Amino acid sequence: MISWSRTDRNDGNMSINILLVASEVVGFAKTGGLADVAGSLPSALARRGLRAAVILPLYRSARRANVEPTEIVVEVQVGHRLVPARLWRTSLPDGATAYLVENDDYFGRDDASQGRGIYQYTLPDGSKRDYEDNCERFVFFNRAVAEFLPYLDSWPQIVHVNDWQTGLIPVYLRELYAARDDRYGRIATMMTIHNIAFQGFYWSYDYPMTGLPWSLFTYDRLEFYGGYSFLKAGIVYSDLVTTVSPTYAREIQTPDYGRAFHPILYQRRERLYGIVNGVDYTQWNPVTDKYIPANYGPDDLSGKLVCKRALRRELKLSDAGAPPLFGMVARLTDQKGVDLIAAIAPQMLERGWQIAILGDGDPHHHRTFEALRSRYPERLGLRLGFDESLAHRIEAGSDAYLMPSAFEPSGLNQLYSLRYGTPPLVRRTGGLADTVTDTNAQTLADGKATGFSFTRYSPEELWNTVERAEALWRHSPEAWKQVMITGMTQDWSWDRSAADYDKLYRRLVQAK
Ligand code: ADP
Ligand code: GLC
């Protein structure tokens, strides 16, 4: 479905100026892969000679980074109120600029020690709730971005928004700001959908807060099932829509995966593209990783065993025998296939195999794994919470990686696992289908096998896959090593993905 051919000219030297907008960026605030993408893509684009900057809210957590206030303060209309916003700035490691939007009432409340995140807070029973004013917080952020454009180092030709938290920006540019200043009308817009499950859906009584006219509250614009959706706004108003893998781009046009957006996306399929995320190998590379006890690479795997032993000690797993160790780092939500893992974990642990889980998410998943840990304390290593450095040690210290997602727009952890020589076990969906090659006689002979995959979402299929992987690991160490090395030497870097974004940006600018 992806064809560049129609209007592509190779204007290699055309310098393009892009402003990425995201609600999280690694180094400042992170709940998942969106932060990794928003942190890596600007630098990867800069390496290709494009000018890219990123803008995000100044959360409390972001103040720990090396950020500085500017003198630029604007007033942002939110409903009938004018709310102040100050622009802050800093540089990303490779020199691209990150701008941050300050308003402490909206974005100064996150505090992990109090269970308050950037979108959600924790109730006494451990469950998480969205902040009641999320609609207002992100209306403010979206309008603040539009207000700040004249004050940035350079005027963007493309504004590239990400997920629902940024979905109103293309609407503001076209419907409110273009009339004030025609430079706004010349901006091309792109929206990337990282997860269609998060839609930014609010009721009609929250609509006046946006400052947008009721004439846009129609089924073909912002209205969605009686309310309105930031995500729909972004899809409808952006010049191009992308998502984070070709398979997910196809899946979300179907009722099974589209979460009620499939008709809208199917209608726009000519303008819908899928680009798999990349890996920041300066952060995720066992040869140089600072978080792991021993470095290793495809030429010398000995450090991996050191990492496995250290991980077993860190998670208080038994040191006896040589059982396989399966790792997982994820938001513990239904998306990640956690119920499948919970269903087969007792069988795995009964066999003496070990599992290491790092995650944060739904309390009922937490309770399931806590119960399992008290039954098998020496076989199930569990850390509930967010821990960047342990994530690296699990990738390095595990023999294989579990990622049986119900849906997975792109997925990064399977890509990290490939690089760390930890073959991923995945369900064949979204980005997992596009990045992991199942191991069988043919793919082994072709030198293509990198992991293990299955199709039907069921505990039996996952169990069969885990058994298949364990059998190869135990009985065919040479074949296992080949699978590891094939994965470790693949290139899933951002440079590859950035080349695809580059093509789309050029098309956008030419078309505008
Ligand atoms: P998603 O964005 O759906 O959560 P991805 O695979 O794209 O899934 O990215 C998840 C990112 O978040 C990875 O960088 C992963 O290592 C990280 N991550 C998820 N949960 C945790 C956690 N509990 N502690 C540390 N890192 C985590
Ligand atoms: C989403 C998806 C994940 C993807 C990430 C970054 O959170 O769940 O698959 O890798 O966004 O695009």
Side-chain angles (χ1 to χ4, degrees):
M1 61 164 289
I2 295 171
S3 132
W4 312 103
S5 52
R6 279 162 298 161
T7 55
D8 247 18
R9 266 183 293 132
N10 188 5
D11 269 342
N13 295 324
M14 179 171 62
S15 169
I16 301 183
N17 203 335
I18 301 128
L19 179 67
L20 271 124
V21 192
S23 57
E24 49 186 276
V25 177
V26 70
F28 305 103
K30 167 166 165 175
T31 69
L34 168 62
D36 293 315
V37 175
S40 303
L41 184 55
S43 305
L45 293 171
R47 286 196 293 277
R48 299 183 62 81
L50 286 83
R51 295 186 60 176
V54 64
I55 185 163
L56 76 153
L58 180 68
Y59 302 104
R60 187 164 171 269
S61 63
R63 288 179 186 270
R64 286 199 297 270
N66 185 24
V67 291
E68 305 231 328
T70 70
E71 294 301 311
I72 302 160
V73 176
V74 296
E75 292 198 309
V76 180
Q77 178 130 20
V78 180
H80 294 298
R81 293 191 305 136
L82 286 177
V83 182
R86 180 183 295 276
L87 191 67
W88 288 52
R89 63 182 298 160
T90 186
S91 294
L92 295 176
D94 278 8
T97 302
Y99 297 101
L100 302 101
V101 174
E102 178 191 35
N103 177 294
D104 261 352
D105 290 342
Y106 290 134
F107 298 120
R109 63 183 73 164
D110 49 303
D111 181 350
S113 70
Q114 304 292 316
R116 287 198 300 271
I118 58 176
Y119 314 123
Q120 295 188 311
Y121 62 100
T122 312
L123 294 174
D125 71 353
S127 59
K128 294 198 169 65
R129 283 275 165 77
D130 286 357
Y131 292 118
E132 281 78 9
D133 60 348
N134 270 356
C135 178
E136 184 176 336
R137 297 169 80 215
F138 287 102
V139 163
F140 165 81
F141 175 62
N142 283 223
R143 278 197 84 156
V145 170
E147 293 285 347
F148 278 131
L149 292 191
Y151 302 97
L152 306 185
D153 289 347
S154 50
W155 188 264
Q157 288 154 287
I158 296 174
V159 170
H160 178 173
V161 303
N162 292 274
D163 274 358
W164 76 264
Q165 293 90 342
T166 58
L168 291 184
I169 292 172
V171 188
Y172 284 134
L173 300 186
R174 198 188 311 165
E175 298 286 359
L176 290 190
Y177 288 80
R180 297 183 197 171
D181 176 343
D182 57 7
R183 285 181 304 167
Y184 281 94
R186 288 199 294 271
I187 295 175
T189 50
M190 181 192 279
M191 165 168 245
T192 297
I193 303 169
H194 296 264
N195 195 332
I196 201 124
F198 302 118
Q199 307 185 337
F201 177 81
Y202 296 102
W203 296 109
S204 52
Y205 47 71
D206 282 329
Y207 187 71
M209 197 187 315
T210 64
L212 293 165
W214 282 104
S215 59
L216 306 184
F217 198 84
T218 54
Y219 79 97
D220 55 343
R221 303 245 170 139
L222 310 192
E223 188 273 339
F224 194 60
Y225 290 90
Y228 72 106
S229 153
F230 279 52
L231 184 69
K232 177 169 174 178
I235 294 171
V236 170
Y237 271 84
S238 294
D239 296 312
L240 272 185
V241 177
T242 72
T243 184
V244 283
S245 67
T247 296
Y248 194 60
R250 284 189 298 274
E251 287 174 341
I252 55 180
Q253 297 174 44
T254 68
D256 283 350
Y257 290 89
R259 305 269 175 137
F261 275 81
H262 52 285
I264 300 168
L265 292 162
Y266 180 73
Q267 217 180 14
R268 288 175 174 69
R269 63 192 179 283
E270 295 292 317
R271 288 166 168 271
L272 173 64
Y273 298 90
I275 301 176
V276 175
N277 290 331
V279 178
D280 180 350
Y281 287 129
T282 66
Q283 296 300 312
W284 293 93
N285 181 355
V287 179
T288 52
D289 193 321
K290 296 183 302 291
Y291 295 118
I292 62 178
N295 292 113
Y296 62 93
D299 302 332
D300 179 5
L301 292 169
S302 54
K304 188 160 173 71
L305 195 58
V306 179
C307 293
K308 178 174 176 179
R309 291 207 186 102
L311 181 64
R312 290 166 84 185
R313 273 197 304 279
E314 180 172 1
L315 296 177
K316 308 207 164 39
L317 299 177
S318 155
D319 241 349
L325 174 54
F326 295 86
M328 174 177 197
V329 179
R331 292 181 293 113
L332 297 179
T333 63
D334 294 341
Q335 172 186 346
K336 300 294 174 180
V338 179
D339 52 335
L340 294 191
I341 293 177
I344 69 158
Q347 249 168 303
M348 295 173 68
L349 300 165
E350 269 308 314
R351 293 224 176 160
W353 305 347
Q354 296 182 327
I355 308 177
I357 297 178
L358 164 64
D360 192 19
D362 298 342
H364 75 275
H365 292 314
H366 288 197
R367 284 192 291 272
T368 307
F369 289 122
E370 277 169 333
L372 266 177
R373 179 180 46 188
S374 37
R375 258 174 72 197
Y376 303 95
E378 301 204 316
R379 296 183 193 160
L380 177 68
L382 181 64
R383 191 68 68 77
L384 298 174
F386 201 89
D387 186 338
E388 184 79 38
S389 75
L390 180 58
H392 289 245
R393 288 191 294 280
I394 291 183
E395 289 289 358
S398 305
D399 293 300
Y401 189 85
L402 297 172
M403 199 159 171
S405 306
F407 66 97
E408 195 60 74
S410 176
L412 289 166
N413 282 104
Q414 84 280 14
L415 301 179
Y416 303 156
S417 303
L418 290 172
R419 177 54 60 119
Y420 281 72
T422 309
L425 276 63
V426 304
R427 194 170 90 80
R428 219 171 281 127
T429 183
L432 300 174
D434 294 335
T435 57
V436 177
T437 304
D438 186 52
T439 300
N440 56 43
Q442 189 62 52
T443 55
L444 271 176
D446 295 345
K448 296 214 165 95
T450 58
F452 301 84
S453 58
F454 64 99
T455 304
R456 199 162 56 83
Y457 189 82
S458 76
E460 295 74 28
E461 284 226 18
L462 176 59
W463 173 252
N464 292 339
T465 310
V466 172
E467 261 198 325
R468 198 151 62 80
E470 201 272 344
L472 193 79
W473 176 83
R474 190 174 298 279
H475 302 300
S476 312
E478 279 311 307
W480 185 266
K481 189 171 165 195
Q482 181 198 318
V483 174
M484 286 170 74
I485 289 179
T486 307
M488 293 176 87
T489 47
Q490 283 185 339
D491 175 15
W492 293 103
S493 67
W494 265 109
D495 295 334
R496 191 188 41 87
S497 317
D500 288 342
Y501 280 106
D502 189 344
K503 281 188 200 157
L504 282 184
Y505 292 144
R506 284 176 202 284
R507 248 176 86 172
L508 259 181
V509 169
Q510 280 159 15
K512 199 75 186 180

